[in-house]
Amino acid sequence: MTDLREPKVDLALAREHGLTDEEYARVLEILGRTPSFSELGIFSVMWAEHCSYKSSKKYLKTLPTRAEHVLQGPGENAGAVAIGDGLAAVFKIESHNHPSFIEPKQGAATGVGGILRDIFTMGARPVASMDSIRFGPLDDPKHQHLLRGVVDGIGGYGNPVGVATVGGETQFHPCYRGNILVNAFNLGIVEADKIFLGQAAGVGNPVIYVGSKTGRDGIHGASLLASAEFDEETDAKRPTVQVGDPFTEKCLIEACLELMRTDAIVGIQDMGAAGLTCSSFEMADRAGTGIEMDLDRVPQRAQNMTPYEMLLSESQERMLLVVHAGREDEVCEIFARWELDAVVVGRVTDDGRMRVRWHGETVVDIPVAPVSGSAPELDRPVAVPADLGERQKLDLAAVEPESDLQGALAALLDDPNLGSKEWVYRQDDQLVQGNTVLGPGGDAALVRVRREDGTTTDKGLAMALDCNPRWCWLDPYAGAVAAVAEAARNVACTGARPLALTNCLNFGNPEKPEIMWQFAEATRGLAAASEALGVPVISGNVSFYNETSGQAIHPTPTIGVVGLLEGWERRTGSHFERGGLAVVLLGDNREELGGSEWLSLRRGLEAGQPPVVDLAHEERLHRLLERGAREGFVGTAHDVSDGGLAVALAECTFAQRVGVRVELQDRMRPDALLFGESTGRVLVATDAADALLAAAAELQIPARTVGETGGDRLQVGSGNGRFWIDAAVDELHAIWTRALPRRLERD
């Protein structure tokens, strides 16, 4: 089994591949011999953190994943939920953090390509993308470069492939100086009885490689790039970043969907992380079968590739199919019409082993189950960070009150975290396919549902991505609860009913007990909020090792929630549409400044407890907003979040330049009232305030009329004829729109 060109395998080489001494001993035990170089590569990628989830499995098992409307939960390429009329929504979020830090344009582009393949692998046509991207401060030229590259990569891939980018979030914080985050989300539509799974079933069925040719890009991206923290040698890892081609991806989408309209496919899997290795092992493991494969048949774009390179390459735009025996020619003909390779490279076997040949010699002969389904599961130690108590200390009485409330509002609107993100999303095609109802710039995006044959329905799907990493750093449990609550609340603000969620759990090095404590607490919060709000977890991703030279990012469990709106034309937007509308505040203002943007920006403090989340209140709020859209007594709805009530009011005025006058009678310090970020609050503009207040009372939701829209100024005061804030909407809008551009235009 030895290839003379391959290096000798020993413990030292195994360590270089990221295997621990115990794991290498387990390899020897499984095989009863020393592995070949190719076999070592397989174990290294399949047991890497990014592929095996060995540090997170224990906690992911505690997440609620089932509900009557869940058709597919975690464990497949993406999750799926029924939306009625025989249709399903398929969605997932994935990370591409490390590649994007090394090579921002290609890293972000291939992140988009990868998530698209996860969706259409399930049989769904991708219709809407979002992204959650985070960088260090923009006064750093490197992070200006990274931002430009990532945005270019997202638009440069999503636009040509023809999938609308309808929303997302962009944030800046010093904790991301050494590790940016690029999380890509996609949603697709499929007929509920035509969902495809990644299984290599049916002994004797052919295994077919389709798509682009295999090159040397991306080798060890999953094991040595995505499963290790960065250091001073990070730049040397640049060659491991994959290169994407959106035009090939578009052809691949159409070819796969065309084939899926036949009954030829048994199973289908994206060649993502760890490429041919991961796809073949996962498909065989799910079906309890084996595969024999001939690497000489794999289409190659580089010369003299070794088995090791072909098995571990992460070249983009490739899929692995298992089809019914006798249908090979039909499959190849379809892909040939789309000018894509389609080659039978193997067969399904009944012995549970992966056998790989190259040049007539067996270079891999290992059992599937111990490599894939029985990968190591670790119970890493956890420890509360020693400084957690200090982080959470905040005596408001010792915090100097804000003396210039209007100036504070202007400063917050000028902050890149709160300012307009138009510079980011204007580079994306938001309207392609013609389904976008609400695009970027509001609480949530909304797309109408269209069948694959082009016929429309009256259904809409709302989606939002959310996370407040500062809150998660101060209290991972509370921060994760708040992230789920906000994403669901944002979806509800469109009038949609939240259905389910996907998550991208971004953390530091799991070998550190403090990081594992963060992860354990965040998943505990995620489970609690998911259960209470009735939004099961149907898909997700874990990204560890997001740290450089020992400096970890803030825990960032990004949450994506999707909701269903029956009758998309009844949607509610996030902006005041006209004057003469009553402004009703749902929820209570509380004197909470812990973890707020105001406290950070104006006092230089990141401290305190995050605001309290009342999950029972949040669930009732969803029902009220859904009913309000259906019955017409909610005109616009905007959730109060980062920056607090004053920022939310300003945002409501910007789209149509409709002013508002608000009077607040709450007895608390004005800066906490205006800039505190208490959860569970929504601003509603309505011409049916009585109906809204009555419905809120029925559901035991605090509600009161606080103002009226009209004019061209934002005026906020306590009702004594004096205003804390009295500013022209146009002036505030100019500050808000320039927050990002003015920093990126610096020399």
Side-chain angles (χ1 to χ4, degrees):
M1 290 183 59
T2 301
D3 187 313
L4 295 177
R5 292 182 295 169
E6 294 183 340
K8 178 183 177 182
V9 175
D10 55 19
L11 178 58
L13 188 61
R15 288 170 175 167
E16 290 179 16
H17 279 67
L19 293 173
T20 66
D21 293 9
E22 293 78 11
E23 288 169 345
Y24 184 62
R26 174 67 177 144
V27 170
L28 297 178
E29 180 184 345
I30 290 170
L31 297 180
R33 57 174 170 79
T34 301
S36 70
F37 185 52
S38 295
E39 290 170 339
L40 176 66
I42 288 172
F43 276 102
S44 76
V45 295
M46 292 301 294
W47 287 5
E49 191 70 58
H50 190 73
C51 292
S52 72
Y53 285 35
K54 57 189 175 184
S55 298
S56 58
K57 285 180 184 179
K58 170 184 174 181
Y59 301 98
L60 299 179
K61 292 175 182 178
T62 67
L63 300 177
T65 60
R66 298 183 180 182
E68 184 178 355
H69 59 285
V70 174
L71 302 178
Q72 179 62 55
E76 273 289 341
N77 290 287
V81 292
I83 59 174
D85 294 341
L87 297 174
V90 176
F91 60 94
K92 187 182 183 182
I93 187 170
E94 277 271 10
S95 63
H96 228 227
N97 304 332
H98 289 67
S100 299
F101 187 72
I102 297 295
E103 175 44 66
K105 181 175 180 178
Q106 287 299 336
T110 50
V112 173
I115 197 65
L116 291 174
R117 290 192 296 280
D118 282 340
I119 301 306
F120 73 77
T121 296
M122 303 289 292
R125 176 173 293 280
V127 297
S129 291
M130 296 193 295
D131 50 80
S132 174
I133 54 179
R134 291 179 164 85
F135 305 87
L138 280 179
D139 58 4
D140 184 341
K142 179 176 183 178
H143 282 270
Q144 292 187 23
H145 162 74
L146 290 169
L147 173 63
R148 288 189 175 96
V150 166
V151 171
D152 190 17
I154 291 170
Y157 201 101
N159 296 350
V161 86
V163 177
T165 301
V166 297
E169 57 176 352
T170 304
Q171 191 176 52
F172 307 90
H173 191 279
C175 76
Y176 302 109
R177 282 191 188 276
N179 288 261
I180 66 173
L181 298 186
V182 176
N183 297 171
F185 167 99
N186 189 261
L187 176 144
I189 305 297
V190 65
E191 293 185 33
D193 60 351
K194 294 183 179 178
I195 294 173
F196 289 83
L197 303 178
Q199 298 182 356
V203 174
N205 280 334
V207 177
I208 302 181
Y209 171 119
V210 302
S212 293
K213 290 178 169 58
T214 295
R216 291 188 171 92
D217 48 328
I219 294 173
H220 274 302
S223 59
L224 299 186
L225 183 60
S227 300
E229 63 180 83
F230 284 147
D231 54 31
E232 62 276 4
E233 298 178 0
T234 291
D235 283 343
K237 298 177 181 177
R238 190 176 303 276
T240 63
V241 177
Q242 312 95 318
V243 178
D245 179 354
F247 300 102
T248 298
E249 181 99 336
K250 174 61 174 173
C251 293
L252 189 60
I253 291 173
E254 299 304 332
C256 287
L257 292 179
E258 180 179 341
L259 180 62
M260 288 167 171
R261 289 193 284 271
T262 74
D263 61 353
I265 295 179
V266 175
I268 179 170
Q269 179 83 9
D270 164 38
M271 287 193 224
L276 190 56
T277 290
C278 194
S279 57
S280 59
F281 271 89
E282 286 185 351
M283 292 181 78
D285 184 61
R286 290 181 187 130
T289 59
I291 291 177
E292 58 180 20
M293 190 164 19
D294 187 349
L295 293 181
D296 294 330
R297 300 182 62 82
V298 171
Q300 301 165 48
R301 68 166 183 264
Q303 294 184 346
N304 301 318
M305 292 190 70
T306 66
Y308 179 97
E309 291 171 331
M310 282 186 276
L311 287 167
L312 271 61
S313 168
E314 295 182 9
S315 294
Q316 296 292 286
E317 293 87 40
R318 302 179 302 158
M319 312 286 283
L320 199 64
L321 313 180
V322 172
V323 305
H324 291 289
R327 308 292 292 273
E328 297 92 333
D329 290 345
E330 180 182 353
V331 173
C332 293
E333 287 172 6
I334 289 174
F335 282 88
R337 285 201 301 273
W338 290 98
E339 299 183 351
L340 296 168
D341 284 305
V343 180
V344 176
V345 295
R347 299 278 170 182
V348 178
T349 64
D350 63 357
D351 60 2
R353 297 187 74 83
M354 184 69 61
R355 290 187 175 88
V356 181
R357 293 189 306 276
W358 178 74
H359 292 183
E361 184 179 359
T362 299
V363 292
V364 171
D365 185 358
I366 53 181
V368 169
V371 179
S372 183
S374 302
E377 181 173 336
L378 304 180
D379 186 10
R380 294 193 185 275
V382 299
V384 178
D387 65 342
L388 184 67
E390 287 301 313
R391 296 181 202 171
Q392 295 178 343
K393 283 183 181 178
L394 181 65
D395 180 6
L396 276 186
V399 176
E400 180 186 357
E402 179 62 68
S403 60
D404 181 4
L405 294 166
Q406 186 160 312
L409 173 60
L412 287 166
L413 294 175
D414 182 53
D415 188 311
N417 286 323
L418 299 181
S420 170
K421 304 304 186 299
E422 184 180 3
W423 183 91
V424 174
Y425 62 71
R426 74 184 181 195
Q427 301 182 51
D428 303 324
D429 190 334
Q430 306 153 30
L431 303 175
V432 65
Q433 298 187 36
N435 297 316
T436 306
V437 179
L438 297 174
D443 286 330
L446 180 71
V447 297
R448 58 181 178 175
V449 175
R450 192 190 303 265
R451 294 181 181 273
E452 178 64 13
D453 64 7
T455 58
T456 59
T457 73
D458 68 347
K459 298 178 184 297
L461 288 170
M463 61 208 81
L465 299 181
D466 282 291
C467 182
N468 188 319
R470 184 185 295 117
W471 291 9
C472 294
W473 180 69
L474 294 172
D475 185 334
Y477 174 86
V481 169
V484 175
E486 184 177 359
R489 190 186 321 122
N490 281 331
V491 163
C493 280
T494 69
R497 174 171 56 90
L499 290 177
L501 69 81
T502 183
N503 60 75
C504 195
L505 307 178
N506 307 276
F507 288 79
N509 185 342
E511 298 164 37
K512 298 179 179 178
E514 294 80 9
I515 299 297
M516 280 312 301
W517 176 83
Q518 291 177 346
F519 187 84
E521 285 295 285
T523 50
R524 186 170 69 90
L526 172 55
S530 172
E531 185 73 36
L533 298 180
V535 283
V537 179
I538 66 165
S539 61
N541 170 243
V542 176
S543 176
F544 278 129
Y545 294 99
N546 291 290
E547 61 180 270
T548 295
S549 301
Q551 296 298 310
I553 64 166
H554 284 354
T556 310
T558 304
I559 304 298
V561 169
V562 171
L564 175 65
L565 178 59
E566 298 282 4
W568 62 265
E569 292 180 329
R570 293 196 294 264
R571 84 283 188 183
T572 50
S574 302
H575 310 286
F576 298 149
E577 295 293 331
R578 58 182 174 84
L581 299 174
V583 177
V584 175
L585 176 64
L586 305 176
D588 283 329
N589 299 319
R590 298 184 294 274
E591 198 169 52
E592 296 174 309
L593 279 170
S596 66
E597 287 283 344
W598 175 86
L599 190 66
S600 174
L601 183 68
R602 301 290 280 184
R603 296 295 177 264
L605 295 175
E606 293 193 334
Q609 292 280 359
V612 174
V613 178
D614 182 339
L615 290 170
H617 164 80
E618 297 280 356
E619 190 276 332
R620 295 193 301 271
L621 187 59
H622 298 170
R623 285 188 276 145
L624 175 63
L625 292 168
E626 181 185 6
R627 177 181 167 187
R630 184 175 63 250
E631 298 181 10
F633 58 74
V634 172
T636 63
H638 181 36
D639 118 280
V640 180
S641 57
D642 298 348
L645 189 56
V647 169
L649 284 165
E651 290 170 340
C652 287
T653 69
F654 288 156
Q656 304 297 330
R657 308 295 198 281
V658 174
V660 65
R661 176 174 176 150
V662 170
E663 296 181 353
L664 302 169
Q665 305 293 334
D666 305 72
R667 294 185 177 181
M668 67 177 73
R669 50 188 288 172
D671 48 14
L673 176 59
L674 295 177
F675 307 122
E677 297 172 2
S678 297
T679 62
R681 295 180 295 168
V682 173
L683 286 165
V684 173
T686 178
D687 58 6
D690 290 345
L692 172 59
L693 293 171
E698 288 179 26
L699 289 168
Q700 299 181 325
I701 294 173
R704 54 188 161 132
T705 301
V706 295
E708 182 178 352
T709 63
D712 59 3
R713 301 187 71 79
L714 172 62
Q715 297 177 310
V716 185
S718 60
N720 57 6
R722 299 175 61 187
F723 295 108
W724 295 311
I725 297 170
D726 185 357
V729 169
D730 282 345
E731 293 178 3
L732 295 176
H733 180 261
I735 295 169
W736 181 73
T737 56
R738 292 287 298 162
L740 271 183
R742 77 175 185 83
R743 288 168 170 85
L744 293 169
E745 290 167 4
R746 293 174 179 169
D747 293 331

